[in-house]
């Protein structure tokens, strides 16, 4: 009798993608609360909005933005993978391959975004 | 009586399904209950809203951060310029409602998973629902009551106004 090591789920791709989806989801949710509040400052005054948005335009926040976009892109691609697992007849058979596809697309998307975002930031940045 | 070897090894036999008898009836697939159909609707909503949010948010990020001057272009005038167009008003409204409901339902699931004490669960979910309602109402009001062309005390157009204000 052949026995697989461990279990099909625990400690494997299925579990880790679920953990990643939860953590990125919670992070994005709290950012969203703050983001609606800072955008709402356009209703207070142009100066208030520009002052708070100005705080996003420094290198520390740029790193944070890249992290945020990284979380969003993973949550988006892995979410599409979950939809395929649920609705595509071959979804459960290929869920692992689809996770590696998600990770590959994530790396490509993040390289593109990070390069473009940093270039635009340093072009218009006046220093501290 | 002989027990064959396969009987002893097949895990499906003789072992009860996890949490047998400990599952809240509303999560059982047999029969139909009101909260069961709510959970089903929430499950479908997560997939439908999720697919829509991928498009809404990717375009939002591309238009705001990857074209023009990127992050440096974002100021009061930029927001005013976008919301002068009803398409962007609707875009941001759809994003606000779908993202808050999608995120709110995700947080509800997580609270249900980890907060085992009834009172803790009730408190956390009350705070969650209140936050979601406040953010959705606030965001919706901001989008629809926004005034792009503001005047100072002497009746002059503010410097931060977008250029189209000159023509009104």
């Amino acid at each position: 009798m052949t026995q697989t090591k461990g279990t099909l789920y625990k400690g494997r791709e299925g579990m880790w993608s679920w953990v990643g989806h939860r953590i990125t989801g919670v992070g994005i949710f709290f950012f969203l609360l703050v983001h609606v509040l800072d955008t709402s400052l356009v209703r207070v005054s142009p100066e208030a909005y520009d002052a708070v948005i100005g705080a996003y335009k420094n290198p520390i926040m740029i790193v944070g933005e890249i992290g945020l976009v990284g979380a969003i892109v993973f949550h988006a691609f892995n979410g599409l993978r979950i939809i395929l697992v649920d609705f595509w007849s071959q979804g459960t058979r290929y869920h692992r391959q689809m996770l590696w596809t998600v990770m590959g697309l994530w790396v490509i998307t993040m390289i593109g975004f990070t390069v473009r975002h940093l270039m635009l930031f340093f072009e218009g940045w006046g220093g501290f | 009586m002989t027990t064959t070897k396969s009987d002893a090894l097949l895990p499906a036999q003789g072992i009860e399904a996890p949490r047998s008898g400990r599952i809240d009836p509303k999560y059982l697939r047999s029969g139909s209950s009101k909260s069961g159909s709510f959970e089903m609707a929430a499950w479908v909503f997560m997939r439908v809203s999720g697919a829509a949010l991928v498009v809404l948010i990717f375009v939002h990020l591309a238009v705001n951060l990857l074209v023009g001057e990127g992050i440096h272009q974002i100021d009061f005038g930029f927001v005013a310029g976008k919301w002068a167009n009803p398409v962007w008003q609707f875009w941001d409204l759809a994003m606000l409602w779908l993202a808050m409901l999608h995120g709110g339902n995700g947080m509800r699931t997580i609270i249900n998973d980890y907060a085992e004490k009834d009172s803790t669960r009730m408190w956390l979910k009350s705070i969650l629902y209140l936050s979601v309602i406040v953010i959705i109402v606030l965001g919706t009001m901001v989008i629809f009551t926004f005034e792009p062309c503001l005047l100072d005390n002497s009746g002059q157009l503010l410097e931060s106004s977008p250029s189209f204000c000159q023509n009104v």
Side-chain angles (χ1 to χ4, degrees):
Chain A
M1 185 197 145
T2 54
Q3 199 172 7
T4 51
K5 208 178 172 189
T7 69
L8 277 171
Y9 179 74
K10 216 173 170 185
R12 304 210 31 194
E13 294 90 338
M15 188 195 94
W16 288 112
S17 63
W18 173 85
V19 170
H21 207 74
R22 285 218 152 168
I23 293 173
T24 53
V26 171
I28 296 162
F29 179 77
F30 283 112
F31 167 76
L32 185 58
L33 297 182
V34 176
H35 188 48
V36 174
L37 293 175
D38 66 48
T39 305
S40 298
L41 289 172
V42 295
R43 232 15 218 94
V44 176
S45 77
E47 292 75 25
Y49 180 76
D50 289 353
V52 170
I53 281 300
Y56 284 100
K57 300 170 187 176
N58 79 71
I60 297 157
M61 295 303 278
I62 291 295
V63 173
E65 280 152 28
I66 293 167
L68 172 72
V69 170
I72 291 171
V73 171
F74 173 79
H75 200 85
F77 289 167
N78 191 55
L80 296 174
R81 170 181 160 272
I82 292 172
I83 293 174
L84 285 172
V85 169
D86 287 340
F87 293 111
W88 176 37
S89 60
Q90 302 296 306
T92 48
R93 182 194 295 262
Y94 293 110
H95 81 96
R96 268 173 285 115
Q97 287 89 331
M98 287 197 289
L99 182 62
W100 296 117
T101 310
V102 163
M103 295 314 292
L105 291 174
W106 181 84
V107 169
I108 294 166
T109 310
M110 287 315 290
I111 289 172
F113 175 80
T114 305
V115 169
R116 177 76 181 156
H117 193 51
L118 286 176
M119 271 171 53
L120 286 168
F121 170 68
F122 284 113
E123 261 173 42
W125 187 46
F128 285 106
Chain B
M1 194 189 124
T2 53
T3 308
T4 61
K5 208 174 181 194
S6 62
D7 278 342
L9 286 174
L10 277 176
Q13 292 177 327
I15 301 172
E16 286 196 332
R19 299 195 190 193
S20 293
R22 299 202 295 124
I23 303 171
D24 191 314
K26 74 184 177 204
Y27 295 114
L28 295 176
R29 286 175 196 184
S30 55
S32 58
S33 65
K34 225 177 176 186
S35 69
S37 67
F38 172 77
E39 291 300 334
M40 180 64 182
W43 182 89
V44 173
F45 172 77
M46 290 308 264
R47 276 131 191 93
V48 173
S49 62
L53 281 164
V54 173
V55 178
L56 289 167
I57 291 174
F58 275 33
V59 171
H60 174 74
L61 288 172
V63 167
N64 289 14
L65 294 179
L66 299 180
V67 300
E69 294 167 47
I71 188 163
H72 295 292
Q73 71 195 342
I74 298 175
D75 58 12
F76 180 82
F78 179 79
V79 178
K82 273 183 92 179
W83 284 348
N85 183 343
V87 172
W88 287 122
Q89 277 190 314
F90 175 77
W91 195 280
D92 289 358
L93 186 76
M95 219 161 36
L96 170 74
W97 280 72
L98 291 178
M100 284 312 296
L101 293 174
H102 184 103
N105 189 52
M107 293 297 287
R108 181 184 71 93
T109 307
I110 290 174
I111 292 170
N112 281 341
D113 275 357
Y114 299 117
E116 295 196 5
K117 222 173 113 189
D118 283 353
S119 59
T120 311
R121 223 170 31 243
M122 194 272 288
W123 274 110
L124 288 175
K125 283 199 274 188
S126 303
I127 296 166
L128 172 70
Y129 296 157
L130 186 69
S131 317
V132 168
I133 291 167
V134 167
I135 293 290
I136 287 181
V137 170
L138 174 72
T140 305
M141 285 173 67
V142 167
I143 292 173
F144 286 118
T145 65
F146 177 69
E147 172 53 62
C149 306
L150 295 172
L151 306 176
D152 64 15
N153 292 332
S154 59
Q156 290 285 55
L157 205 60
L158 287 184
E159 263 182 58
S160 50
S161 304
S163 53
F164 64 78
C165 291
Q166 310 287 343
N167 311 320
V168 239

